[in-house]
Structure formats: C-alpha cells, structure tokens
Amino acid sequence: MKVTVSRKAHFNAAHRLFVKNWSDKKNMEIFGICSNTNYHGHNYEIIVDITGDVDPLTGMVIDLKDLKDIIKNKIENILDHKNLNLDIDYFKKVVPTAENICIFIWNILRKEIEMAKGLEVTLFETPRNFVKYNGN
Ligand code: NI
C-alpha cells in the first residue's frame, strides 16, 4: 500500500527569462514581460509529494518534521529572497522558468529522500500557473 504524504512550502524570488544570444526584441517576443530587463518577482509555492509504504511500526511514510527541515534547509534557505539569475549558479546557464526551477528543486530533494520513495515536486509560479516534475 503506497501512500503519498505532502508538504507545502513557500519562497519569494526574482528572475528574468531571456536567452543571452537573442536580442532584447526577440526575448520580449518569446517571453513577454517575464523578460523585463530589470527582473521581477514571484511568490512561489511548492508542494513536495513523497510516496511510499507506510512503516508498520511508526505508521508513517516519512516523518513530516524531517521533510519540513529538508525543504527549509535545502530549498527555502537557498532560493528565498534571491535573484535566481544572479545568485544561483545553476541559472547562469539555464533559463529560470517554472519548469527549470521545478527540476532544480527536484534534483536537490532527490539526494535527500530515500530512493525507495517516490518524489514529485509541484511549483506554483502564480496561483493559476504551476508545473510538476517527478523525475521522468
Ligand atoms: Ni516571471
């Protein structure tokens, strides 16, 4: 019996979507106002889903306190109040779209969560726009 346990978290960050080799005009055509030269911010929400067997002794899939601490230390402390383009090395070469931020978060968390457990990350860039990644 697999059960999915979820934890929500939050961070604020700034970004600019652009491809270096493109002109400002071309970037504006493709990314719209998200390519604004002087950056802009989002209130990002994340949902981390951990799927696994319920431990017969503890009754838990994962200790939510542990999951909370992992998200706080490995994600929020790294991304909160940052300019993703300037402060995070990974995004010096990768466009910080919601898709790529979601993959970045998943890759960090995958190292922290037992491989036997499934991991899916949902990232909300706005209340209406969100992306999911589960490693596939
Ligand atoms: Ni944006």
Side-chain angles (χ1 to χ4, degrees), residues 79-101:
L79 298 180
D80 192 32
H81 284 71
K82 296 293 167 58
N83 179 313
L84 300 176
N85 301 80
L86 301 180
D87 296 328
I88 309 294
D89 280 347
Y90 183 86
F91 294 117
K92 293 196 167 139
K93 292 197 177 138
V94 174
V95 187
T97 54
E99 291 90 326
N100 283 330
I101 299 166

Side-chain angles (χ1 to χ4, degrees), residues 15-17 33-35 40-42 44 96 125:
H15 74 169
R16 178 191 175 203
L17 303 184
I33 54 170
C34 267
S35 197
H40 63 277
H42 291 282
Y44 290 99
E125 192 166 72

Side-chain angles (χ1 to χ4, degrees), residues 11 25 67 126-127:
F11 62 93
K25 184 169 171 281
L67 183 57
T126 73

Side-chain angles (χ1 to χ4, degrees), residues 6 11 18 28 59 74 113 122:
S6 304
F11 62 93
F18 74 108
M28 271 300 188
K74 303 289 177 179
I113 306 290
T122 306

